[in-house]
Amino acid sequence: MNKTIQTVESAAAGSAFLIEDVYPLIDGGRFAVKRIAGDRIEVWADIYRDGDATISAALIWRGEQDREWRRESMTHHRDDRWSGAFTPTEAGQYLYAIEAWTDEFATWRHGVERKQLSGGDVTLDAIEGAGLLTKAHGAPQDAAAIIVRQCEDYLGSGDVTPLLVSELGEAMAESQARPDLTRSPNFPLVIDRDRARFGAWYQMMPRSQSAVAGQHGTLRDCIARVPDIAATGFDVLYFTPIHPIGRTHRKGRNNSPVASEGEPGSPYAIGSAEGGHDALHPELGTIEDFRALVATCLEYGLEIALDFAVQCSPDHPWLAQHPEWFKWRPDRTVRTADGPYSDIVIPDFASVDRVGLWNAFRDAMLFWIDQGVTIFAIDNHDTAPLPFWEWLIRDIRSRHPEVILFSKTFARPKLMKGLARLGFAQSFSYFPWRTAKWELEQYFDELTRYPERDFSRPNLFVNTPDLLPYHLQSGEAWMFKSRIALAAMLSGNFGLYSGFELLEHDAIPGHEEYRDSDKYQIRQRDWDKPGNIKPWITALNRIRNDNAALQQTNNLRFLGIEDGETIAFAKVAAEPANIVVAAIALSRHAREFWLPLGDLTIDAGGERHRVTTLENLMTGEQSRIEWGGIKLRIDPDRDPALFFRCLA
Amino acid sequence: MNKTIQTVESAAAGSAFLIEDVYPLIDGGRFAVKRIAGDRIEVWADIYRDGDATISAALIWRGEQDREWRRESMTHHRDDRWSGAFTPTEAGQYLYAIEAWTDEFATWRHGVERKQLSGGDVTLDAIEGAGLLTKAHGAPQDAAAIIVRQCEDYLGSGDVTPLLVSELGEAMAESQARPDLTRSPNFPLVIDRDRARFGAWYQMMPRSQSAVAGQHGTLRDCIARVPDIAATGFDVLYFTPIHPIGRTHRKGRNNSPVASEGEPGSPYAIGSAEGGHDALHPELGTIEDFRALVATCLEYGLEIALDFAVQCSPDHPWLAQHPEWFKWRPDRTVRTADGPYSDIVIPDFASVDRVGLWNAFRDAMLFWIDQGVTIFAIDNHDTAPLPFWEWLIRDIRSRHPEVILFSKTFARPKLMKGLARLGFAQSFSYFPWRTAKWELEQYFDELTRYPERDFSRPNLFVNTPDLLPYHLQSGEAWMFKSRIALAAMLSGNFGLYSGFELLEHDAIPGHEEYRDSDKYQIRQRDWDKPGNIKPWITALNRIRNDNAALQQTNNLRFLGIEDGETIAFAKVAAEPANIVVAAIALSRHAREFWLPLGDLTIDAGGERHRVTTLENLMTGEQSRIEWGGIKLRIDPDRDPALFFRCLA
């Protein structure tokens, strides 16, 4: 007999039920579904076995580190499709699974009822039913009392009726043995706190925050900036790296391969004699200053996000302390990164001492968490292997479930999605290169479709220190306002790099890069420069904060309007009931168009109400909907977008 | 530290690559993909890792019992999507998997080429490249020779050029170590012989085959029938159970609960004092007769299919020999099946001696395989647990990969699909209840869609011993001809129960059941009764045998015609190139309609040719296609269907 033939015993121990087509599920459970604390997680599955016995199913769930499963009963809808739900209220890593089993007593009861209807003799059935009761040993006290009482009634009367009361059915459903119980695999679920879904990010280079021309900015200068950034409505203050900067191969202005004396270099060349990933660049200040910054941010409702780049300058202390963590060339120099990145060294993640290296990066992150950092933006992370990220995220989140890890990379589509699946709470997107209406509609349909919606949360940056998109290079205010409106309204998470609000648009010709980028030099800006769009951004953030529908991404739904250069969409929140409609111009000319709103309804007090009125969220003005829609006018040079709250 | 934190070592041992969205795949590999021997199995997957190293991938496959994997290289298309293919030529159970790894030498070479292009110094790179060669120890002889020669050339010249020759690249691709090799899980694949995809089934009750009125038919009578059945073009001769029939609760005519003296009972009440599942009903003849039948069938190109029902009459020898295999009632009677099935007993598949019971059924099947049976139709199999079927199929197919197991049950949709996924090679379908054009189109689109097409093969029966559909009850010849044409043309597998060809249509009023069904009595028929549609069926089978496009199901494509009561479709086969177009009337009136054929093309000799001509497969008449289609006329009272071969 060949060895691939399964024994009866191992086959019979297999699953009596098939539990299939489980929703939600990412790659059959290989990766975690992501949701937010307080979300009701509705789980659906096909659950069935042979024959027509009465079956029951439960949805079980627990925190990964909990010992006990919690359980919710599942309901059969039709066509063997079941659902159940649970609501985790804390961030963390969870598991859920589905159990199915035969309710033998209910099956017996249905058989008896059927036989009674057709006038059959149920004497033997009654004895069998009573026999089932005796198997429900170990029933909880209340159930046991019901079981004993109904059994006694039956024995006294000889009539099957006491065995058919529904109270007994329920007691037995809960108490009887479940010999054919089948449990699905455990499926992973990650619960993040609300900030993973909703936040406005302001990114800046701390050394560019001095008010004094030519002077290196400090963390104290950053503290001085906090009130204004908070007043503009931002939630996250996001810093480029704050660590000591290497000197070897230091970059000069505009990415020049050689720095002149006194040039500060790129902060992404992490590490020097002054320290590495757990040190602060001395010119920025001290750890006490950093703590003061955290405290000020807290006071103003801002969180701090740090860039976390797993790369080193050639002067990073680790090169001397742990040469085995790096790749060396035949001339005993260290291998630097390819192309324009000669000021950085990629560690060897497959090093013989990878335990040391991986833990060192993890410990650096833990160090900053101890200083009050709750968000990390992972830069250039396609330089480390995928298992490293999966491990790091799980390790950090097991200790600090509140921490948010943002995958800040522009990579190939599959790799972007792969990184999101591995566990990053948020991701960069191709938004900066999606400008036409059809591109935006198609791309956001893709991002908000299942299963992508359940593992990927886009964070829409209108620009970055490395990216000044072509469409911003003419510096037209309407375009800046249109882009930031798109970012703020399409997604729960959006961000900008400082200078955007001042309409900075000086590019290196033919490239989507800033000229004189403060990535390679110190800059100062007049934050109240005339023509800045801070009032527009402040209004967008106010509208976002006032409307639950805008505090998420997956509730997006495009509205069909005829104008090919105006994009319109609705976002609908259930609790509290809130619908926002936005129309945003993608070109500069003034336009009028018809916005159809036909089937939008608001659920309130258990009733469904048709939307009758739009309230302009900028002006407060109200307009009645007539003929299922409304005629609108946008003049982009005034404001390139309109936002409305729907009223019943 | 909590225990859910993974160690670096175990994380680093994880997969360097993500291998995702594998096609074909059923439920992430839980169930086998099904194909036919000789099919080219094309496998697709997203394969990627971090960074931009040059990677390679291979598709590996083997018979489940083979020791060695075979391997085919995979090709990158775009967007990290790869494909490869292999062609198993024998029926059996296979595994396939995907391997991906970094080609370090190619990655090095691309780096050098890039650097050369930009005028960089590659002296150190050359040393590093030569160093990679020394790591390719254990290379196959040919490759080793190339590697040594190029290395010597490099050492002699000091020039990098010898390291960049493509021959060396290939030798290294094959030979170098693959430290980051990632292998996907093994995915199961079942290969069936061609009969699983293509066959015309003729089902009959052997006891009804006597030519002498009132006499119990024998296997010798069946032998006498073989030439006629073969001449009608059938491939499979399918028998209802041939085992001894129980006497207890024996059914009388028309399913009467009590049989009169001398009534033969239902053959589905298997087992009596004369034996059980491995015995032959004495009145049918002997095992020698059965072998003679098999031999005659073989001679005429017919295979024998047997009903295999895992149920017993209360008189089955197993009840006395193995009382523990059954469920007993408080009065020590055995529990019979519910409802109208009081003449049968369902064994207890969870019996303490389930090893004995499961093996006994398996051994009965093996017994009949030894007698020459190659196909089993599994009757009423929703009475046994799902793990039993999965085990039985795997067990039987591991020993006899040529055996075909047909899931002959009408159950709920999910259960039907679940049974198909568990491994049945063919399945009943809802075809008998799909009569309107939209129903047929929708249902067959569903059946032939991925992934269903890869696990489920419908076998379309126009009637069964238990089923005389309402639409046949008026006995109109055009309807019988339309239904059998639909079955024969829509699917590679179809069948009928004897009597259909004689337009039998006498129903129990209000039911889809035959009156005086030979399930409960012996019947004789005049097989050449006037008005029979054997010539029509013979023509359908001839057309099927002559046209490769009709020997499969998943190549079905509906054609849009305006007539709502005529269904039209094309079936396209690639090798040999063959296209058949069918138009079938679903109502009785004569009609004319336009059949559009716009984009049908025939691939021949590496060229694509537009279809220009239709050849009527009944008459041989040829018609030119004009204006992208053709005008047709169907008069159902003459023939309710038209079939054409497309010519270029």
Side-chain angles (χ1 to χ4, degrees), chain A residues 108 121-129, chain B residues 329-331 333 335:
Chain A
W108 166 85
D121 177 16
V122 296
T123 313
L124 287 179
D125 302 85
I127 298 170
E128 287 168 339
Chain B
R329 308 207 64 188
D331 64 350
T333 59
R335 167 175 289 282

Side-chain angles (χ1 to χ4, degrees), chain A residues 332-354:
Chain A
R332 294 174 184 256
T333 59
V334 73
R335 167 175 288 284
T336 58
D338 287 339
Y341 303 108
S342 56
D343 58 342
I344 63 169
V345 170
I346 310 296
D348 180 5
F349 285 88
S351 157
V352 289
D353 183 33
R354 58 189 161 212

Side-chain angles (χ1 to χ4, degrees), chain A residues 517-561:
Chain A
S517 163
D518 44 7
K519 205 170 145 182
Y520 308 104
Q521 65 191 74
I522 293 166
R523 292 191 50 184
Q524 275 95 16
R525 295 170 175 95
D526 171 6
W527 301 108
D528 295 307
K529 183 177 159 186
N532 77 68
I533 59 167
K534 279 158 65 181
W536 178 252
I537 297 169
T538 307
L540 294 176
N541 280 326
R542 173 184 54 73
I543 291 170
R544 282 165 50 90
N545 283 310
D546 288 350
N547 288 281
L550 298 175
Q551 294 165 19
Q552 47 187 303
T553 308
N554 294 332
N555 59 342
L556 177 68
R557 184 179 135 193
F558 291 102
L559 299 174
I561 56 175

Side-chain angles (χ1 to χ4, degrees), chain A residues 47-207:
Chain A
I47 302 173
Y48 58 95
R49 48 159 279 186
D50 55 289
D52 57 1
T54 302
I55 71 170
S56 289
L59 174 61
I60 63 174
W61 64 289
R62 62 175 171 83
E64 235 183 34
Q65 296 153 52
D66 296 346
R67 307 184 69 157
E68 297 292 332
W69 290 97
R70 280 170 273 190
R71 77 188 48 233
E72 321 289 338
S73 63
M74 294 184 80
T75 307
H76 181 232
H77 296 265
R78 55 182 291 278
D79 195 17
D80 296 317
R81 191 97 183 129
W82 294 66
S83 78
F86 63 100
T87 305
T89 54
E90 317 245 310
Q93 298 175 157
Y94 290 81
L95 297 171
Y96 60 99
I98 291 168
E99 285 183 350
W101 64 95
T102 304
D103 184 338
E104 282 186 59
F105 189 71
T107 303
W108 166 85
R109 185 176 141 171
H110 289 163
V112 169
E113 286 169 345
R114 220 170 22 229
K115 212 180 248 187
Q116 282 182 321
L117 276 177
S118 64
D121 177 16
V122 296
T123 313
L124 287 179
D125 302 85
I127 298 170
E128 287 168 339
L132 287 175
L133 300 196
T134 65
K135 280 166 54 183
H137 38 180
Q141 209 170 352
D142 292 354
I146 294 165
I147 293 169
V148 168
R149 188 175 66 237
Q150 298 306 128
C151 198
E152 280 169 356
D153 281 2
Y154 161 69
L155 291 171
S157 65
D159 180 14
V160 74
T161 312
L163 299 178
L164 300 176
V165 303
S166 64
E167 204 187 18
L168 177 62
E170 285 151 27
M172 286 294 287
E174 193 186 338
S175 311
Q176 68 194 322
R178 299 172 180 180
D180 67 352
L181 185 138
T182 297
R183 184 185 284 185
S184 74
N186 293 342
F187 305 121
L189 169 71
V190 160
I191 297 295
D192 289 302
R193 62 194 170 95
D194 197 53
R195 180 63 66 232
R197 178 160 65 187
F198 174 60
W201 292 46
Y202 186 87
Q203 185 183 11
M204 67 186 198
M205 197 75 70
R207 70 184 179 198

Side-chain angles (χ1 to χ4, degrees), chain A residues 2 5-6 9 15 20 46 48 51 79-80 128 329 331 335 355 382 387 391 395 412 414 418 421, chain B residues 5-6 9 15 20 46 48 51 65 79-80 124 128 329 335 355 382 387 391 395 412 414 418 421:
Chain A
N2 77 59
I5 295 182
Q6 198 186 12
E9 278 308 328
S15 304
E20 297 176 335
D46 291 344
Y48 58 95
D79 195 17
D80 296 317
E128 287 168 339
R329 310 206 65 190
D331 64 352
R335 167 175 288 284
V355 175
D382 55 352
W391 166 81
D395 187 295
R412 306 190 305 281
K414 298 288 167 61
R421 268 194 291 247
Chain B
I5 295 182
Q6 198 185 10
E9 278 309 328
S15 304
E20 297 177 336
D46 291 344
Y48 58 94
Q65 295 153 52
D79 195 17
D80 296 317
L124 288 179
E128 287 168 339
R329 308 207 64 188
R335 167 175 289 282
V355 175
D382 55 351
W391 166 82
D395 187 296
R412 306 190 306 281
K414 298 287 167 62
R421 268 195 291 247

